[in-house]
Amino acid sequence: MADGSPNQLQTQYPRMGGAGMPPARYIGHAKDGWKDAYHFLLTMPLGAFFAVMAGGYIAVNLLFAVIYAVVGGVAGVRPGDLLGAFFFSAETFSTVGFGQAAPHSLAAHIVVTLESFFGFFNLAIATGLLFARISRPTARVMFSDRAVVTTHDGYPTLMFRAANRRRNRIVEAEVTVSLARDGVTLEGQTMRRFENMSTIRARSPVFVLTWQVMHRIDETSPLYGETTESLLARRAEIIVILKGLDETFAQTIHARASYTPEEVVWGARLTDIFSRGTDGRPVIDYTHFHDIEIT
């Protein structure tokens, strides 16, 4: 759904931050199915990934076990012994070949050849998928649970903070904040609009510890004159995108978060997490990272 496009096919807007609201329901939008299986396997949870790979491994060996049981010709495996044929298939598929069972007919040799050929592709695909999952750079950026609106330099200011949980450096970090909300055109058509919310500091040359992001609510701000009730009425959501170059991986990473109107506390401030120890060294208390104080 792009900026300015009519909301005709979706019954509700998905939360851009990825949580909190039910997913959208699409009408007339065909699924890619197996065409996008690679992306599906890369993005699923790690436990589910191993479960799918194990299930595929068992299914393939079971298929070849049935074929061996039908064609026969495997020494050491009795005719109709599906379990023995399954273990022989697993030994062939993994190229282990213990030698207790071996093909001795033309049909069995042909099936062994086909399974060995298929096993090479399976090993390459499984290795590639696992390497892609492990080597893919991910951001370990934490955002405060809630945003606040407090007075800063004489202006009401929206504030929230982010922290780099890896403790390495994110170089040339950049944050963008947008307000997504419903709007009505002159023709009376409801449209989803995305409005930029400029921040006091949009870039940081090195993001190591924490970053307090601030947006001044003045006459140019999309939040000017808004309240929690008015934002709820227009199904508003504040969308945050943070990206930068991870110094360890030397690749671009990004993190995202979002705040609904209920998660923006007006007349509050973020609890200070910086102090100085008795030895003079700065101390950062992450136990109060998500805490706010009503002013």
Side-chain angles (χ1 to χ4, degrees), residues 41 49-50 52-61 64 89-90 92-95 114-131:
L41 289 170
F49 170 77
F50 283 115
V52 169
M53 297 303 294
Y57 180 82
I58 293 174
V60 170
N61 281 287
F64 278 100
S89 173
T92 302
F93 197 76
S94 60
T95 69
L114 291 175
E115 184 174 9
S116 299
F117 181 73
F118 188 84
F120 291 145
F121 283 97
N122 177 80
L123 179 61
I125 292 173
T127 303
L129 284 171
L130 186 59
F131 177 77

Side-chain angles (χ1 to χ4, degrees), residues 26-173:
Y26 297 90
I27 299 175
H29 185 273
K31 295 182 178 180
D32 291 331
W34 290 105
K35 295 181 181 179
D36 209 15
Y38 180 77
H39 178 268
F40 178 69
L41 289 170
L42 283 182
T43 55
M44 65 169 43
L46 188 60
F49 170 77
F50 283 115
V52 169
M53 297 303 294
Y57 180 82
I58 293 174
V60 170
N61 281 287
L62 186 61
L63 173 64
F64 278 100
V66 172
I67 297 176
Y68 287 127
V70 171
V71 302
V74 178
V77 177
R78 299 187 307 273
D81 183 5
L82 185 61
L83 184 61
F86 176 84
F87 290 131
F88 173 71
S89 173
E91 294 166 8
T92 302
F93 197 76
S94 60
T95 69
V96 174
F98 288 116
Q100 299 299 319
H104 64 81
S105 69
L106 178 61
H109 277 290
I110 292 174
V111 177
V112 166
T113 302
L114 291 175
E115 184 174 9
S116 299
F117 181 73
F118 188 84
F120 291 145
F121 283 97
N122 177 80
L123 179 61
I125 292 173
T127 303
L129 284 171
L130 186 59
F131 177 77
R133 290 185 63 98
I134 295 175
S135 62
R136 182 178 56 181
T138 56
R140 295 279 292 172
V141 176
M142 175 175 59
F143 293 91
S144 55
D145 291 338
R146 292 173 291 178
V148 300
V149 176
T150 187
T151 302
H152 178 74
D153 281 344
Y155 288 90
T157 304
L158 174 77
M159 296 183 183
F160 60 89
R161 57 187 167 206
N164 182 11
R165 299 179 63 183
R166 276 210 176 99
R167 311 292 176 85
N168 65 342
R169 295 179 178 88
I170 299 178
V171 183
E172 292 297 332

Side-chain angles (χ1 to χ4, degrees), residues 186-204:
L186 295 176
E187 294 77 19
Q189 188 177 39
T190 301
M191 305 176 68
R192 192 66 165 171
R193 301 187 184 276
F194 294 84
E195 303 170 70
N196 181 58
M197 299 172 59
S198 60
T199 58
I200 296 178
R201 181 166 63 97
R203 299 186 65 187
S204 177

